[in-house]
Amino acid sequence: MDSRIAAVLILVGLGGGPTGCAPNRNVFGDLSTPYHKALNSMTRERSFFDVDQVKYLTTVTYETKELQQAYVEEYAKRYELPPDKKNEMLARQLAETRDYDVFFVSHFTSDRKSARITADPNVWRLTLSNDPSGQTVEEPFSVTPMTSNDPVLQYFHPYVTHWSKTFRVKFKSLGEGPYRQLRMTGVVAQLAFVWNPP
């Protein structure tokens, strides 16, 4: 037997292996922590498949106050944050949701030129509305590219793949009303993501 394998077996047998609580998973192997359940409830997806390829697959999560609270709980649990650090983190997250409507976007397209999302209209124009008629819209305050192969990002957003581009999109807050419609429009497609329809 390889000496390294023997050493591992001895450690496990003596209880010297990794300790801590593994994240909850359902029968399909998907993460099912309270945070991930909240994530799923606030995530929307649009896709288009051609006969031989995926034209686009876009997934958007609306980072509400409730989701941010669940995120901080899960982050603090995984990283064993002391109460003061956890409270500081929660205060930062809630301050952001008070001032902005924030969305996490994972975007895959078979055309590289269509993969980029920017605050100024280019291939895609992003708008946000709290008006079901769509007459009043807000342009993005900022669009920040993220690193898709970051293991922390992939844990908190399991739908992200190595092939998708990821962005954090911020709009100035539209207020307390629950309805939100994020639109991605352009020559490629017109995509609508809706939360809390009337």
Side-chain angles (χ1 to χ4, degrees):
M1 178 184 294
D2 188 292
S3 60
R4 290 170 296 179
I5 297 176
V8 170
L9 291 176
I10 292 171
L11 281 172
V12 172
L14 294 176
T19 61
C21 179
N24 298 333
R25 294 182 180 273
N26 62 23
V27 294
F28 301 104
D30 300 322
L31 291 162
S32 61
T33 67
Y35 162 76
H36 289 93
K37 291 177 181 178
L39 177 76
N40 290 339
S41 71
M42 298 310 299
T43 298
R44 307 291 183 265
E45 182 180 287
R46 297 290 180 270
S47 60
F48 177 72
F49 298 85
D50 205 348
V51 290
D52 59 348
Q53 62 182 341
V54 179
K55 286 292 187 181
Y56 60 80
L57 174 61
T58 307
T59 308
V60 180
T61 298
Y62 180 22
E63 297 184 358
T64 61
K65 177 176 69 175
E66 292 76 16
L67 181 58
Q68 291 288 26
Q69 290 171 329
Y71 166 75
V72 171
E73 287 291 333
E74 181 65 15
Y75 189 98
K77 182 178 180 180
R78 293 295 139 215
Y79 286 89
E80 300 181 349
L81 295 185
D84 60 329
K85 296 296 184 182
K86 175 183 173 182
N87 291 337
E88 289 175 7
M89 181 180 181
L90 180 60
R92 290 194 304 270
Q93 299 298 112
L94 294 184
E96 183 179 51
T97 59
R98 183 180 61 247
D99 297 334
Y100 300 96
D101 285 317
V102 184
F103 298 84
F104 182 89
V105 180
S106 173
H107 180 57
F108 170 79
T109 174
S110 53
D111 179 6
R112 289 196 310 170
K113 295 179 181 178
S114 302
R116 190 172 177 221
I117 297 174
T118 57
D120 297 323
N122 193 341
V123 176
W124 298 97
R125 180 187 181 221
L126 273 65
T127 59
L128 181 67
S129 177
N130 61 353
D131 173 15
S133 70
Q135 297 300 310
T136 304
V137 299
E138 183 77 23
E139 303 282 346
F141 174 81
S142 66
V143 176
T144 305
M146 310 294 285
T147 303
S148 297
N149 61 359
D150 179 356
V152 178
L153 184 145
Q154 290 182 347
Y155 175 80
F156 286 101
H157 301 85
Y159 49 77
V160 170
T161 72
H162 291 288
W163 300 277
S164 59
K165 301 294 184 181
T166 54
F167 307 85
R168 203 153 184 263
V169 183
K170 295 169 65 172
F171 297 84
K172 290 184 178 179
S173 175
L174 296 180
E176 292 294 330
Y179 178 83
R180 294 291 185 274
Q181 181 179 160
L182 175 68
R183 293 186 63 82
M184 290 175 56
T185 57
V187 296
V188 178
Q190 290 76 44
L191 310 180
F193 306 88
V194 178
W195 291 265
N196 301 310

